Amino acid sequence: MSDNGLAVLPSVVVHRRVEWHDTDAAGHHHHGAVLRWVESAESVLLRRRGVADLFGRIPRVHYEVDYRARLWFGQPIQVELAVAAVGEKSVRYEFVVRGDDVVAATGNMVITMAAPDSPRAVPWSAEVRAALSTGGRQASDPAD
């Protein structure tokens, strides 16, 4: 993504194709597909970092995306997701979605740690903080 310190934080690149259900009546990708692709990349990243058990406890509290180009049914895409910052109770991801030689979308998403018995975000455990703060770029695997 960039040389602003993200190299030591975990990141992943996932390869997909634009599926029929990702498109809208105009024939190109629907805006909601970007969120699904980003969340798919997040699941790969969390599995690889050994913290997939976070699912169901990490609500999205902020999501921002800039749409830059259209993607079409069947087109191969690449989703790069990087941990940009790990706070006491939240993590900010940055992402880029590419198709062929074009950047189709960029953005960021913030997640927090939720506990069933607390109405507010709770701090990350030391294990989760370590998993999300180290590891660098994960190998790209088209099979993910």
Side-chain angles (χ1 to χ4, degrees):
M1 290 185 124
S2 65
D3 293 330
N4 63 358
L6 295 180
V8 298
L9 296 175
S11 66
V12 67
V13 176
V14 176
H15 301 269
R16 299 280 186 266
R17 284 195 180 272
V18 177
E19 299 294 337
W20 182 250
H21 64 267
D22 296 327
T23 63
D24 62 15
H28 57 77
H29 77 286
H30 184 269
H31 67 87
V34 171
L35 178 58
R36 285 193 306 274
W37 297 331
V38 168
E39 287 182 332
S40 178
E42 178 190 28
S43 71
V44 171
L45 180 68
L46 295 181
R47 276 195 314 272
R48 289 184 181 182
R49 300 303 304 141
V51 290
D53 62 328
L54 290 176
F55 284 105
R57 299 182 295 148
I58 50 172
R60 286 78 180 94
V61 296
H62 178 82
Y63 176 68
E64 183 176 354
V65 62
D66 291 314
Y67 299 94
R68 302 181 182 281
R70 294 180 285 182
L71 300 169
W72 305 93
F73 171 68
Q75 184 174 3
I77 62 168
Q78 173 182 304
V79 181
E80 182 176 0
L81 177 75
V83 175
V86 178
E88 180 187 351
K89 299 177 184 180
S90 65
V91 168
R92 185 172 60 84
Y93 295 121
E94 292 180 351
F95 60 85
V96 177
V97 178
R98 293 180 176 87
D100 299 322
D101 294 330
V102 64
V103 172
T106 59
N108 64 79
M109 180 169 65
V110 177
I111 63 170
T112 61
M113 177 63 173
D117 58 347
S118 175
R120 303 200 189 291
V122 297
W124 300 109
S125 69
E127 295 79 17
V128 170
R129 179 178 295 284
L132 298 176
S133 298
T134 62
R137 182 178 299 269
Q138 305 294 297
S140 177
D141 183 356
D144 277 328

